[in-house]
């Protein structure tokens, strides 16, 4: 049985890379399963966020006379005004609450793993409060 972890989308974005990193460390089985479950849940939310981000870029990007996105040097072009609008909607998405169907991480699991203070801070929203 899993609990729900309630975090903001920005927490997921900040911790995604670190969770993927620690999922590659050797830990005991019960920790490995819990970390793997959390990583899967985070990856699903990251895919959803990426879809939303791409929709916003398509919505706000400059388009040519054929309705195609204007691309300069490999980057989609947005006017300054539209960058602000796009960023505002992205910030709104990052502030959304997300429920992850996974067990929270526990502090003692990290006795086996070396992480930096910055990585620990990014993982804090996913930790069980004692």
């Amino acid at each position: 049985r899993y609990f729900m972890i309630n975090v903001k989308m920005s927490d997921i974005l900040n911790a995604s890379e670190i969770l993927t990193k620690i999922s590659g460390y050797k830990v005991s089985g019960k920790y490995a399963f819990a970390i793997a479950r959390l990583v899967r849940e985070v990856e699903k939310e990251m895919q959803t966020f990426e879809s939303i981000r791409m929709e916003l870029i398509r919505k706000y990007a400059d388009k040519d006379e054929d309705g195609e996105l204007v691309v300069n040097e490999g980057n989609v072009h947005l006017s300054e005004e539209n960058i602000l609008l796009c960023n505002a909607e992205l910030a709104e998405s990052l502030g959304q609450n997300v429920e992850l169907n996974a067990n929270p991480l526990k502090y003692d699991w990290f006795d086996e793993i070396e992480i930096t203070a910055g990585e620990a801070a990014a993982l804090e929203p996913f930790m069980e409060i004692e």
Side-chain angles (χ1 to χ4, degrees):
R1 182 173 155 236
Y2 293 99
F3 298 95
M4 290 297 214
I5 301 173
N6 293 303
V7 294
K8 297 235 181 268
M9 189 61 217
S10 59
D11 296 328
I12 291 172
L13 193 64
N14 290 335
S16 173
E17 190 175 313
I18 297 159
L19 285 167
T20 301
K21 176 183 165 183
I22 65 171
S23 72
Y25 291 162
K26 290 186 180 186
V27 296
S28 65
K30 68 180 180 178
Y31 305 152
F33 283 110
I35 292 169
R37 173 70 182 212
L38 181 56
V39 167
R40 277 194 307 275
E41 290 289 306
V42 163
E43 285 174 349
K44 282 193 268 183
E45 294 301 328
M46 288 295 294
Q47 288 173 353
T48 300
F49 177 75
E50 183 60 19
S51 294
I52 291 167
R53 189 181 76 80
M54 292 307 298
E55 283 177 33
L56 289 173
I57 289 172
R58 283 190 288 276
K59 176 180 175 180
Y60 288 108
D62 295 339
K63 297 172 184 72
D64 63 19
E65 57 276 349
D66 296 325
E68 298 294 321
L69 300 179
V70 175
V71 179
N72 295 332
E73 298 178 14
N75 295 313
V76 175
H77 188 268
L78 284 80
S79 68
E80 285 189 38
E81 178 183 338
N82 282 349
I83 287 172
L84 295 174
L85 293 170
C86 186
N87 284 342
E89 284 196 49
L90 272 175
E92 189 176 310
S93 295
L94 288 170
Q96 294 293 313
N97 289 321
V98 177
E99 286 188 341
L100 301 175
N101 186 19
N103 289 325
L105 303 172
K106 297 183 181 185
Y107 290 101
D108 63 346
W109 296 1
F110 294 89
D111 291 343
E112 300 179 30
I113 301 173
E114 288 186 18
I115 61 173
T116 67
E119 291 169 333
L123 293 176
E124 192 169 16
F126 302 88
M127 303 299 282
E128 182 176 75
I129 298 171
E130 296 181 33

